[in-house]
Amino acid sequence: MDQKSYRRGSFQSSTSDEDMLEIAGASLDFTVADDDPPLDREMGGFSSYNGGGMNGSSTMMDFLEEPLPGVGTYEDFNTIDWVREKSRDRDRHREITSRSKESTWALIHSVSDAFSGWLLMLLIGLLAGSLAGLIDISAHWMTDLKEGVCLAGFWFNHEHCCWKSNTTFTDRDKCPEWMSWSQLILGHGEGAFAYILNYFMYVVWALLFSLLAVLLVKGFAPYACGSGIPEIKTILSGFIIRGYLGKWTLIIKTITLVLAVSSGLSLGKEGPLVHVACCCGNILCHLFTKYRKNEAKRREVLSAAAAAGVSVAFGAPIGGVLFSLEEVSYYFPLKTLWRSFFAALVAAFTLRSINPFGNSRLVLFYVEFHMPWHLLELVPFILLGIFGGLWGAFFIRSNIAWCRRRKTTKLGRYPVLEVLVVTAITAILAFPNEYTRMSTSELISELFNDCGILDSSQLCEYVNDFNSTKGDDLPDRAAGPGVYTAMWQLALALLMKVFITIFTFGMKVPSGLFIPSMAVGAIAGRLLGVAMEQLAFYHHDWAIFSGWCSQGADCITPGLYAMVGAAACLGGVTRMTVSLVVIMFELTGGLEYIVPLMAAAMTSKWVADAIGREGIYDAHIRLNGYPFLEAKEEFSHKTLAMDVMRPRRSDPPLTVITQDSMTVEDVETIINETTYSGYPVVVSRESQRLVGFVLRRDLIISIENARKKQDGIVSTSIIYFTDHSPPLPPSSPSMLKLRSILDLSPFTVTDQTPMEIVVDIFRKLGLRQCLVTHNGKLLGIITKKDVLKHIAQLANQDPDSILFN
């Protein structure tokens, strides 16, 4: 890759969001060197500085009094310095606290600063809840639009259209106000030609929706594709991807998420809702100075926004907080826990106020079970856990292999064609089977449902013998022909969902994985539940049933098996445990079933971990080469810092800057000839005694600003980082003091430090780089990228797969 040249006097504008990199499969070009990404261009004009004089004159420039715009900020595709950001925030807080005692206005400012975090959480919750309600309502209407239209008002979906109809309860879906496309065009809905026309219209609408989605993503916001959770995990760990949480991404992701879900593709909206909520959090951060100017504080807000996203996705505020803590967050202090809880609460309350499904529930597949489960049922629940783990491992390997093929072959050049082909195949296979034709959320709702007397679906067509009914609970009954038909259709739906989801996740449209995974597990669970129910009905005298399942009793709840299966498969794919169980019991409103859910979730995780350690999000992080240092994994190898540091024995010596003997031209030459993110500052090249560390970006901004604002700063001007200027002849040009941009306390380790400790330091402190010394002399440097490459090498992976610094 070509090195981005450093040009005196101006910042060369880089590219727009479209020219960054391939994130979540977006086809983008990363046209600058890894260690030298484009600068952030929000520079406007430079504010005036207060120059310090040397011996009373003004021949020397000092930036100590007023910080320069851009100094201390980060380049794109770089990692933030957590230690520096937290230190800045403490300094800011101390200053506000000390000033609050001086005047009433300062006290008000101090109170408003303390309250701003809670106000920000309130705004995030309101915006995320409102957008989730809008997405739910729009997706429900557009999904039904593929099958027909409401004559009373085209903006009504099928269910809302029939609310005012006088039809009987059993014919509630066949009201005269709702007309299928064949009824509207041909005047009747029966016969082969009407079926073919409905089939054709279904496929056409699906293709239209998916085409619009992929064109909008490709044309306006390439970052809006995929689920967004792998990238959000990476951003929360300290990586910077400008534009990924911007306003265009939010707008396009919201619109295209509705289109993608409505097209009938095997994807969900739950994962992308986390991305949408984080976009809301990032945009609203700009209203508050303390979050706008501090990257670490902003990541605390994004952690809370992720919790709000899951809260509105599943109607599970507590599960959302635990999801953020367990799955996506890198730094999660207690203060963030409280604020996440508040944001999730506000978001859930907002969605409940909108009531998108008209049933006072936050999700379409809310269900309540009342029958207790028996201890012996843990055996089929654990079997479902094993199935979930096997499916999760199979899906991750298959999907990663397909995504890698997409990235490395010509397939990746035709995102629109790929989306259309997958949509066409999905729609053609889905329409003949009523369980794949309906939306995946409706399918899960049907599978979770416990059959009542008034249920008219095929899954509830049992042979009724109401003489044995006790109270409201129906006894276990013999399956009728409708149940057997439904079993065959569900088995075919399971096969289709298992394979089509592999090719769908990772395409250039917003695509979540929660709902398809839950659908696979719910189908498998319902099949097993009905099998257990019929086994108990026909063989209630067997030893395993005799103690607790007498004839005419309601022993087995197939819907519960579907719920446990859904949890097992979702756990197998994502490797969630605690948050998954809490989300599932918040969905069902029953604490009774925590043990079955826990058993299935843990079994699923154990089985999946035995086959492959990575969940789907970690696998996609590694596939895309993001610099994410997993905090959950142990480093157990016996290597030393000297084995990992650069320069190696065969490399040229480490590039350093001396504290008081290099000219502006010397430093500019170093910047031009290297692509490093920063440089160690030493006393002299001979002594190699470490003084500090200076960032490349801060050097460029400071030198450019000095050339513009300070008379006498020329190429031969000496740059010094000491408190006092070095002695020079009177005829020398003005000197440039840059001590204010020097980090005087860089983290250092000795060359004999075990890498186990170094990796722990990088994980727990969020370092960008660590300097290596020997007897007090600088030897080399270890960056986060070096650590990741070293871990990849020890795991027999390609170290060059780590693309960014």
Side-chain angles (χ1 to χ4, degrees), residues 11 31 104 126 136 150 172 177 193 297-298 306 326-327 333 340 380 401-402 409 426 523 534 619 651 739 776 793:
F11 288 109
T31 54
T104 308
L126 290 171
D136 285 338
C150 184
R172 62 189 180 277
E177 289 86 357
F193 191 61
K297 295 292 289 179
R298 191 183 304 190
E326 180 184 3
E327 191 61 29
S340 299
W402 178 251
T409 63
T426 305
I523 294 171
Q534 295 308 299
D651 292 345
R739 187 173 177 82
Q793 275 180 320

Short mmCIF file of all heavy atoms in Angstrom, two decimals, residues 11 31 104 126 136 150 172 177 193 297-298 306 326-327 333 340 380 401-402 409 426 523 534 619 651 739 776 793:
data_model
loop_
_atom_site.label_atom_id
_atom_site.label_comp_id
_atom_site.label_asym_id
_atom_site.label_seq_id
_atom_site.Cartn_x
_atom_site.Cartn_y
_atom_site.Cartn_z
N PHE A 11 -3.58 19.69 5.81
CA PHE A 11 -3.99 18.28 5.93
C PHE A 11 -4.61 17.87 4.62
O PHE A 11 -5.51 18.52 4.12
CB PHE A 11 -5.03 18.12 7.04
CG PHE A 11 -4.46 18.27 8.41
CD1 PHE A 11 -4.75 19.38 9.17
CD2 PHE A 11 -3.62 17.30 8.91
CE1 PHE A 11 -4.22 19.52 10.42
CE2 PHE A 11 -3.10 17.43 10.18
CZ PHE A 11 -3.39 18.54 10.93
N THR A 31 -7.14 2.34 1.50
CA THR A 31 -6.09 2.78 0.58
C THR A 31 -4.90 3.43 1.24
O THR A 31 -4.06 4.00 0.58
CB THR A 31 -6.69 3.78 -0.42
OG1 THR A 31 -7.31 4.84 0.31
CG2 THR A 31 -7.71 3.12 -1.31
N THR A 104 -21.75 30.56 42.26
CA THR A 104 -23.01 29.83 42.08
C THR A 104 -23.09 29.24 40.68
O THR A 104 -23.56 28.10 40.50
CB THR A 104 -24.21 30.78 42.31
OG1 THR A 104 -24.03 31.43 43.57
CG2 THR A 104 -25.52 29.99 42.31
N LEU A 126 -35.25 6.84 24.95
CA LEU A 126 -36.41 7.34 24.19
C LEU A 126 -36.23 7.13 22.69
O LEU A 126 -37.15 6.66 22.00
CB LEU A 126 -36.63 8.83 24.50
CG LEU A 126 -37.13 9.18 25.91
CD1 LEU A 126 -37.06 10.69 26.13
CD2 LEU A 126 -38.55 8.67 26.11
N ASP A 136 -40.65 -2.25 14.10
CA ASP A 136 -41.58 -3.35 14.31
C ASP A 136 -42.86 -3.16 13.50
O ASP A 136 -43.32 -4.08 12.81
CB ASP A 136 -41.95 -3.47 15.81
CG ASP A 136 -40.83 -4.09 16.62
OD1 ASP A 136 -39.98 -4.79 16.02
OD2 ASP A 136 -40.78 -3.88 17.84
N CYS A 150 -54.92 -4.53 2.45
CA CYS A 150 -56.15 -4.24 3.18
C CYS A 150 -56.95 -3.18 2.42
O CYS A 150 -56.43 -2.11 2.10
CB CYS A 150 -55.80 -3.74 4.58
SG CYS A 150 -57.24 -3.45 5.62
N ARG A 172 -61.03 -15.64 11.68
CA ARG A 172 -60.55 -14.28 11.92
C ARG A 172 -59.51 -13.83 10.92
O ARG A 172 -59.29 -12.65 10.73
CB ARG A 172 -60.01 -14.16 13.34
CG ARG A 172 -58.82 -15.05 13.66
CD ARG A 172 -58.49 -15.02 15.15
NE ARG A 172 -57.34 -15.87 15.48
CZ ARG A 172 -57.41 -17.17 15.68
NH1 ARG A 172 -58.59 -17.79 15.55
NH2 ARG A 172 -56.34 -17.88 15.99
N GLU A 177 -62.27 -7.58 4.44
CA GLU A 177 -61.47 -6.37 4.23
C GLU A 177 -60.07 -6.69 3.71
O GLU A 177 -59.44 -5.84 3.08
CB GLU A 177 -61.34 -5.57 5.55
CG GLU A 177 -62.62 -4.89 6.01
CD GLU A 177 -63.49 -5.84 6.83
OE1 GLU A 177 -63.12 -7.03 6.99
OE2 GLU A 177 -64.54 -5.39 7.32
N PHE A 193 -54.38 -21.28 -10.77
CA PHE A 193 -53.87 -20.02 -11.31
C PHE A 193 -53.75 -18.96 -10.21
O PHE A 193 -52.79 -18.18 -10.18
CB PHE A 193 -54.78 -19.52 -12.44
CG PHE A 193 -54.17 -18.38 -13.22
CD1 PHE A 193 -52.97 -18.54 -13.91
CD2 PHE A 193 -54.78 -17.13 -13.25
CE1 PHE A 193 -52.40 -17.49 -14.62
CE2 PHE A 193 -54.22 -16.07 -13.95
CZ PHE A 193 -53.03 -16.25 -14.64
N LYS A 297 -15.07 7.81 27.82
CA LYS A 297 -16.39 8.11 28.35
C LYS A 297 -17.46 7.77 27.32
O LYS A 297 -18.54 7.28 27.67
CB LYS A 297 -16.49 9.61 28.71
CG LYS A 297 -15.60 10.06 29.82
CD LYS A 297 -16.01 9.49 31.17
CE LYS A 297 -17.30 10.08 31.69
NZ LYS A 297 -17.67 9.49 32.99
N ARG A 298 -17.16 8.02 26.05
CA ARG A 298 -18.14 7.70 25.01
C ARG A 298 -18.41 6.20 24.96
O ARG A 298 -19.53 5.76 24.72
CB ARG A 298 -17.64 8.20 23.65
CG ARG A 298 -18.72 8.14 22.59
CD ARG A 298 -18.22 8.56 21.24
NE ARG A 298 -17.62 9.88 21.24
CZ ARG A 298 -17.29 10.53 20.13
NH1 ARG A 298 -17.50 9.97 18.96
NH2 ARG A 298 -16.74 11.72 20.17
N ALA A 306 -25.98 -0.36 23.99
CA ALA A 306 -26.12 -1.77 23.57
C ALA A 306 -27.15 -2.48 24.44
O ALA A 306 -27.95 -3.29 23.95
CB ALA A 306 -24.76 -2.48 23.66
N GLU A 326 -21.88 -9.20 29.50
CA GLU A 326 -21.28 -10.50 29.19
C GLU A 326 -20.70 -10.58 27.79
O GLU A 326 -19.66 -11.19 27.56
CB GLU A 326 -22.35 -11.60 29.35
CG GLU A 326 -21.85 -13.00 29.06
CD GLU A 326 -22.95 -14.05 29.12
OE1 GLU A 326 -24.13 -13.70 29.34
OE2 GLU A 326 -22.63 -15.23 28.92
N GLU A 327 -21.37 -9.95 26.83
CA GLU A 327 -21.05 -10.23 25.44
C GLU A 327 -20.29 -9.12 24.72
O GLU A 327 -19.38 -9.38 23.97
CB GLU A 327 -22.35 -10.54 24.67
CG GLU A 327 -22.16 -11.10 23.29
CD GLU A 327 -21.41 -12.43 23.26
OE1 GLU A 327 -21.50 -13.19 24.24
OE2 GLU A 327 -20.73 -12.69 22.26
N PRO A 333 -17.57 -0.35 34.24
CA PRO A 333 -17.57 0.00 35.67
C PRO A 333 -18.99 -0.03 36.24
O PRO A 333 -19.98 -0.06 35.50
CB PRO A 333 -17.00 1.41 35.68
CG PRO A 333 -17.28 1.96 34.33
CD PRO A 333 -17.26 0.80 33.38
N SER A 340 -26.78 1.73 32.34
CA SER A 340 -27.30 0.77 31.36
C SER A 340 -28.70 0.31 31.76
O SER A 340 -29.60 0.19 30.92
CB SER A 340 -26.38 -0.45 31.26
OG SER A 340 -25.10 -0.10 30.86
N PRO A 380 -34.56 -34.85 27.84
CA PRO A 380 -34.75 -34.23 26.50
C PRO A 380 -34.26 -32.79 26.43
O PRO A 380 -33.81 -32.34 25.38
CB PRO A 380 -36.27 -34.31 26.28
CG PRO A 380 -36.87 -34.60 27.61
CD PRO A 380 -35.84 -35.34 28.39
N ALA A 401 -16.51 -20.11 6.63
CA ALA A 401 -15.93 -20.60 5.38
C ALA A 401 -16.55 -19.89 4.18
O ALA A 401 -15.85 -19.50 3.24
CB ALA A 401 -16.14 -22.11 5.27
N TRP A 402 -17.88 -19.69 4.23
CA TRP A 402 -18.57 -19.01 3.12
C TRP A 402 -18.17 -17.53 3.06
O TRP A 402 -17.93 -16.99 1.97
CB TRP A 402 -20.09 -19.15 3.28
CG TRP A 402 -20.87 -18.45 2.23
CD1 TRP A 402 -21.63 -17.33 2.37
CD2 TRP A 402 -20.97 -18.81 0.84
NE1 TRP A 402 -22.19 -16.97 1.18
CE2 TRP A 402 -21.81 -17.86 0.21
CE3 TRP A 402 -20.43 -19.85 0.07
CZ2 TRP A 402 -22.11 -17.92 -1.14
CZ3 TRP A 402 -20.75 -19.90 -1.28
CH2 TRP A 402 -21.57 -18.95 -1.88
N THR A 409 -12.80 -14.32 -3.27
CA THR A 409 -13.12 -14.67 -4.66
C THR A 409 -13.93 -13.54 -5.30
O THR A 409 -14.24 -12.53 -4.66
CB THR A 409 -13.93 -15.98 -4.73
OG1 THR A 409 -15.19 -15.78 -4.05
CG2 THR A 409 -13.18 -17.13 -4.08
N THR A 426 -34.67 -18.28 -1.38
CA THR A 426 -35.42 -18.31 -0.11
C THR A 426 -36.92 -18.20 -0.36
O THR A 426 -37.71 -18.97 0.19
CB THR A 426 -34.96 -17.17 0.82
OG1 THR A 426 -33.55 -17.24 1.00
CG2 THR A 426 -35.64 -17.24 2.17
N ILE A 523 -38.00 -25.03 16.25
CA ILE A 523 -38.56 -26.12 15.41
C ILE A 523 -38.12 -27.47 15.96
O ILE A 523 -38.95 -28.38 16.15
CB ILE A 523 -38.11 -25.96 13.94
CG1 ILE A 523 -38.70 -24.69 13.32
CG2 ILE A 523 -38.53 -27.18 13.13
CD1 ILE A 523 -38.14 -24.34 11.95
N GLN A 534 -46.68 -37.47 22.59
CA GLN A 534 -47.36 -38.67 22.05
C GLN A 534 -46.85 -39.94 22.72
O GLN A 534 -47.61 -40.88 22.97
CB GLN A 534 -47.16 -38.75 20.53
CG GLN A 534 -47.81 -37.63 19.76
CD GLN A 534 -49.29 -37.47 20.11
OE1 GLN A 534 -50.09 -38.39 19.92
NE2 GLN A 534 -49.65 -36.31 20.65
N ALA A 619 -15.62 -15.03 15.89
CA ALA A 619 -15.12 -15.59 14.63
C ALA A 619 -15.13 -14.52 13.53
O ALA A 619 -14.19 -14.45 12.72
CB ALA A 619 -15.98 -16.78 14.22
N ASP A 651 16.11 -6.57 12.00
CA ASP A 651 15.46 -5.33 11.56
C ASP A 651 16.40 -4.13 11.76
O ASP A 651 17.34 -4.19 12.56
CB ASP A 651 14.19 -5.08 12.38
CG ASP A 651 13.11 -6.11 12.08
OD1 ASP A 651 13.26 -6.81 11.05
OD2 ASP A 651 12.16 -6.23 12.86
N ARG A 739 6.95 20.00 24.67
CA ARG A 739 6.85 19.15 25.86
C ARG A 739 5.39 18.81 26.21
O ARG A 739 5.10 17.76 26.76
CB ARG A 739 7.51 19.86 27.04
CG ARG A 739 7.62 18.98 28.29
CD ARG A 739 8.43 19.67 29.38
NE ARG A 739 8.49 18.88 30.61
CZ ARG A 739 9.33 17.89 30.83
NH1 ARG A 739 10.18 17.54 29.87
NH2 ARG A 739 9.33 17.23 31.98
N GLY A 776 17.40 0.10 32.03
CA GLY A 776 17.03 1.51 31.88
C GLY A 776 17.17 2.07 30.49
O GLY A 776 16.81 3.21 30.23
N GLN A 793 0.12 -16.42 15.93
CA GLN A 793 1.21 -17.36 15.57
C GLN A 793 1.22 -18.57 16.49
O GLN A 793 1.36 -19.71 16.04
CB GLN A 793 2.56 -16.64 15.67
CG GLN A 793 2.94 -15.89 14.41
CD GLN A 793 4.29 -15.20 14.56
OE1 GLN A 793 4.59 -14.66 15.62
NE2 GLN A 793 5.09 -15.21 13.52
#
